[in-house]
Amino acid sequence: MGTIPSETIEQIAAANDIVEVIGAYFPLKRAGANFKALCPFHQEKTPSFTVSPSRQTFHCFGCGAGGSVFRFVMDYEHIDFPLAVRKLAARAGITVVEKSRGGGVDDEERQRELRQRLLKLHSETAHWFHENLIKREVGDAARKYLRARGTTVEIAKRWQLGYAPNEWEAFGNWARGRGYEVRDLIMSGLVKMKEDSDSTTSRPSASAPRTPMDREQAAHATPSYDRFRGRIMFPIHNDIGEVIAFSGRLLQDEEGAAKYLNSPETALFRKGSVLFGLDKSKRALIEANCAVVCEGQLDLISLFEAGITNVVAPQGTAFTERQARILKRFVNEVVLCFDADAAGQKAAERSLDALLQNDLIVRVAEMPVGEDPDSLVRREGKENFGRRIASARDFFDYWIERETANVDLASFGSKIQLARRLAETVSRVRDPLMRGEVISKVSARLGVAAPDFQALVSQQRSAERYSSREHPPDTDSASAMAPAPRHDVAMLCILALRDETARDFLRQQNWREILADVPDAELLVRILESDLRPDDSASLNAFMVTLSPADERLVSSWLLQKIPANAGAMVEKWWLGIRQSVLRRQLSIATNQIKLPELSTGDIINLQKQILDLQEQLHELSQPAGAADN
Ligand SMILES: [Zn+2]
């Protein structure tokens, strides 16, 4: 990957108004010179998330999140810096030309263009599937099925449900007719090559009587066929609402065919990193600080439509580490609503590791046998279902009960075996407080001494530390604001960031030399050595992208502070203070040194000179000379 020149960063920042960019994700309300909203990065009841149109930055006074327009897109969409830059560049129609580090540029550009084409294809395909379901004869049976399940036309429209006809090439023909190339269709995963066909033996009867000869000919004409056939289609969105994949539910159960089929991994879609429904439920998740997790898309839609909107569904059956990490940004607690059958319980248990490692509190709402969230919420309504969620049991209670149900606790051998198994799971709880609580609960239930069980857990934990992890845990530096430097340094930082005159004054001083003796001045040095222009918000954004997230948060808070009108005089006063403190420090070092035994006469003379010199400088500085007396 190449590097993006800072002029380009500045150009992109200038072309993307931060109020418009953030306003496209959620509504902002004007509040004086700024805009406000409920913070998307923490849970709150009154808005402390502030966007400054003049500074072109954002900052949350509740959780400290803040920074440039790039930082917002990175944090909100959970993407890395280069991708955020490209997204904003595309939004403004700017081409990013990267300084090449060896020929990778063309590849990246090609990849970006492919993603763009695939996004367009997915969006149009979702529309086509939807029209099949809503308007066309081919969707009759699917319409009936959904109606029988209580899915109204309005719901189908809101979730853009669709239907993939039960034919081999209906989609492929339509897409080619729209000008899409077969190569892109294959890259999208929506059509498959005939060669890697996995189901030639189970062609649906509608187009059945084909001889091998026919097939041969067909293969030459169109070497591909539709992946999704005879399925109700659920578009899968990324969390900003773009369609990036599909999940198809078989309309008529068919032997040997999976009930649910998802898009394969593509340039747009990484399995295990998308949560179905998140684009719609984000706000509700933050407000409830709790996510209701169900298995299927239809379950999720029914709950959401019934008014339980803090819902997500993992794509597939169990939570991945990546999904759990995404979820942790929105909530602290998860209620698993998996089916009571064995498969549902397996899914719940498999989800556990990823959830615990991300310090999520996990509870389980057991569905009565034969029911799923979809059927249950229809039958008993929002209130009753809500009560089930509220009274969902702690995962460990649920799970201890299940595990001990089939074990004879009177037998020492089986008790020890069970304790080992439980210790392994408990060891995955990362948070020490939560772990302690679980340990005392489990040991009490098993009838073993807590310290003994604790020892088993510790064994597991140290064993695990050696096994490699798929992802290192997020470091705290990403979510914390850097501590502000001491007050005088912070004041100079603010002035150097915000006021042209103050900045010019400081840059004319021998600031490098003096600040080298000031503890805590690294950020001030970076501010002074950068070529940012205080009145140019794009250059402020370009400067912020060079900082660590923690420093960026701090800078974004400074950018929102009021600055006094007489910045020019202020800066001289604060700078004077810094110089005096540096001299006083040097003076105290020298006066300590001169007391040391075994100094040569030369050393003593030098130190005496130095002390006199420092005293003189201090004296000069404290004279009320010229403009610095204010
Ligand atoms: Zn916040």
Side-chain angles (χ1 to χ4, degrees), residues 108-321:
E108 268 206 50
E109 181 68 6
R110 264 200 295 279
Q111 194 64 17
R112 196 183 62 80
E113 282 171 0
L114 172 67
R115 283 177 53 92
Q116 223 83 60
R117 290 200 302 277
L118 292 185
L119 278 175
K120 181 160 169 282
L121 170 63
H122 275 80
S123 154
E124 293 186 2
T125 302
H127 187 69
W128 183 72
F129 284 147
H130 183 61
E131 301 246 288
N132 287 340
L133 177 73
I134 297 292
K135 293 190 183 157
R136 303 203 177 103
E137 207 177 310
V138 70
D140 274 349
R143 269 199 301 277
K144 269 191 206 124
Y145 170 85
L146 287 173
R147 207 178 302 133
R149 283 191 65 140
T151 309
T152 63
V153 177
E154 289 69 44
I155 295 176
K157 282 186 177 161
R158 251 195 307 279
W159 295 83
Q160 213 186 10
L161 304 188
Y163 180 66
N166 196 9
E167 294 163 37
W168 287 93
E169 283 151 19
F171 167 74
N173 287 337
W174 169 81
R176 280 192 302 277
R178 306 258 326 162
Y180 285 103
E181 286 180 35
V182 176
R183 205 188 39 197
D184 282 353
L185 297 181
I186 287 166
M187 296 289 250
S188 76
L190 293 169
V191 305
K192 293 168 93 171
M193 295 295 290
K194 280 232 166 86
E195 282 76 23
D196 62 55
S197 159
D198 56 358
S199 56
T200 38
T201 51
S202 64
R203 286 172 164 250
S205 53
S207 56
R210 279 194 175 175
T211 63
M213 187 83 123
D214 289 338
R215 216 177 293 153
E216 188 85 89
Q217 280 169 349
H220 284 295
T222 49
S224 61
Y225 65 97
D226 300 352
R227 173 182 296 268
F228 296 104
R229 303 177 305 273
R231 287 173 184 269
I232 293 173
M233 300 302 291
F234 300 89
I236 297 172
H237 298 90
N238 59 16
D239 72 346
I240 56 163
E242 294 167 322
V243 181
I244 52 168
F246 290 93
S247 179
R249 188 199 188 284
L250 213 53
L251 186 56
Q252 272 156 346
D253 287 351
E254 193 181 311
E255 212 170 304
K259 191 165 154 192
Y260 280 96
L261 183 68
N262 287 342
S263 292
E265 298 231 331
T266 67
L268 297 180
F269 180 55
R270 291 273 167 268
K271 279 190 180 162
S273 60
V274 180
L275 288 161
F276 184 78
L278 186 64
D279 58 311
K280 291 196 169 61
S281 61
K282 245 185 292 198
R283 168 58 51 196
L285 291 176
I286 292 166
E287 272 160 20
N289 195 16
C290 170
V292 176
V293 176
C294 51
E295 277 174 285
Q297 283 92 355
L298 276 172
D299 288 329
L300 181 137
I301 292 173
S302 294
L303 288 178
F304 194 95
E305 292 292 335
I308 297 169
T309 52
N310 54 325
V311 277
V312 290
Q315 300 290 335
T317 49
F319 256 93
T320 64
E321 163 72 19

Side-chain angles (χ1 to χ4, degrees), residues 38-44 48-49 59-65:
L38 288 173
C39 179
F41 304 114
H42 86 285
Q43 194 197 9
E44 62 176 3
S48 42
F49 179 84
H59 184 77
C60 171
F61 293 100
C63 66

Side-chain angles (χ1 to χ4, degrees), residues 511-522:
W511 55 274
R512 267 185 205 283
E513 190 191 320
I514 289 169
L515 292 179
D517 277 333
V518 179
D520 232 13
E522 293 85 358

Side-chain angles (χ1 to χ4, degrees), residues 3-4 33 235 299 324 379 466 482 591 626 628:
T3 52
I4 305 164
D299 288 329
R379 196 163 57 70
Y466 292 102
T591 39

